[in-house]
Amino acid sequence: EDQVTQSPEALRLQEGESSSLNCSYTVSGLRGLFWYRQDPGKGPEFLFTLYSAGEEKEKERLKATLTKKESFLHITAPKPEDSATYLCAVQAKSGGSNYKLTFGKGTLLTVNP
Amino acid sequence: DAGVTQSPTHLIKTRGQHVTLRCSPISGHKSVSWYQQVLGQGPQFIFQYYEKEERGRGNFPDRFSARQFPNYSSELNVNALLLGDSALYLCASSSGLYTGELFFGEGSRLTVL
C-alpha cells in the first residue's frame, strides 16, 4: 500500500528564516509526487509535480526536490503569507491505484513577522 | 473562469440520516474525484469518475456512493450517517484520468451529531 509520511507536523519560523519540509514515501512505481498548499477552510492548491529522482521545481520562494525515497520542499526567506499547511501526495504508476493521490498528513507552517 | 464549485458549504446532520453533496468541475474537465479530509489529516480518496464512469474507489463502505452526470457535474451520497463521517468533503476536477494536478473546490463541511 502506498504511504506518505511528512515531517515535521508543525514548523514555526521567523520571517526570513529559511527551512525545509520533508516527505518520505513508499509506492509501487512512482508516477508522480505532488506538493499542495492548503489554507484554513480551503481546498488544497496545486504547487508542483515531480516525476523522477533528481528533478527540481521552483516557484517564488519555494523549491521542491525529489529522491528515490523522499522529497523536500525548501522555503527560502519565507514571508507571513507563506503560512499554510503543505501537503505531499504520491500517485502510483500502475497496479490499481494509479488513478488516485495518496496524501500525507501535512506540515503546518507558521511564519511570524 | 470559474473554479470547482461545491454545495452546500456547511451542513449539519444527525446519525442515520442521508446526505447529498454536489460538485461542478472546471469547464472542460471530464474527471471528478472526491476526497474526505478529517481534521488534522490529509485528504483520503473516495471515488474518481471520468466520462461518467466510475474509474476508482477508495476504502470506504458501501454507504458511500457517487455518480457523474452528462455535464460532468457530480454528486456524492452518504447513507446512514455515522459520527465518524464528520469531515470536509473535497471535490477535485482534472483534465485527464491519470493526472495528479487536481483542482480542488473549497469543500463541504459535514458535521454529524
Side-chain angles (χ1 to χ4, degrees):
Chain A
E1 186 175 329
D2 306 337
Q3 288 192 325
V4 177
T5 303
Q6 292 188 245
S7 62
E9 291 185 3
L11 180 63
R12 189 176 293 270
L13 300 173
Q14 289 297 123
E15 185 172 2
E17 180 186 3
S18 302
S19 188
S20 296
L21 313 183
N22 177 263
C23 170
S24 298
Y25 64 92
T26 54
V27 63
S28 53
L30 181 70
R31 175 184 291 271
L33 183 140
F34 307 88
W35 283 96
Y36 283 81
R37 169 191 170 127
Q38 187 172 25
D39 293 305
K42 306 280 189 179
E45 177 187 355
F46 170 78
L47 292 173
F48 301 111
T49 306
L50 300 166
Y51 293 107
S52 57
E55 190 174 0
E56 299 182 351
K57 293 276 181 72
E58 284 190 71
K59 179 180 179 180
E60 297 180 357
R61 295 176 293 281
L62 301 177
K63 179 180 177 180
T65 62
L66 181 64
T67 72
K68 287 187 177 181
K69 292 186 177 181
E70 56 191 351
S71 177
F72 294 92
L73 185 65
H74 307 277
I75 304 176
T76 302
K79 298 182 177 182
E81 53 261 41
D82 294 322
S83 297
T85 295
Y86 290 85
L87 296 164
C88 173
V90 296
Q91 183 180 25
K93 193 174 292 186
S94 62
S97 60
N98 53 349
Y99 45 80
K100 67 173 185 179
L101 298 188
T102 299
F103 283 87
K105 293 182 179 181
T107 293
L108 175 61
L109 174 66
T110 304
V111 182
N112 296 316
Chain B
D1 282 343
V4 176
T5 58
Q6 293 187 243
S7 63
T9 55
H10 295 83
L11 68 167
I12 300 173
K13 295 285 188 178
T14 57
R15 283 177 295 175
Q17 285 190 313
H18 163 271
V19 68
T20 297
L21 307 178
R22 295 177 175 84
C23 172
S24 293
I26 291 173
S27 177
H29 284 188
K30 298 180 179 179
S31 176
V32 170
S33 299
W34 288 94
Y35 286 79
Q36 180 196 64
Q37 188 174 25
V38 173
L39 199 61
Q41 304 290 314
Q44 187 173 0
F45 174 77
I46 310 175
F47 286 109
Q48 184 188 29
Y49 278 77
Y50 181 76
E51 286 282 19
K52 292 153 283 182
E53 289 188 10
E54 181 184 305
R55 300 302 184 111
R57 171 187 282 258
N59 293 326
F60 281 81
D62 292 343
R63 299 185 295 107
F64 288 75
S65 64
R67 55 180 175 168
Q68 187 177 32
F69 299 100
N71 66 353
Y72 301 108
S73 66
S74 178
E75 278 184 358
L76 176 69
N77 293 282
V78 186
N79 292 324
L81 286 167
L82 303 174
L83 296 179
D85 295 330
S86 296
L88 180 67
Y89 288 86
L90 295 163
C91 174
S93 75
S94 60
S95 56
L97 176 58
Y98 297 114
T99 178
E101 183 179 343
L102 303 181
F103 294 83
F104 284 88
E106 297 202 345
S108 294
R109 171 73 63 186
L110 171 65
T111 301
V112 182
L113 302 177

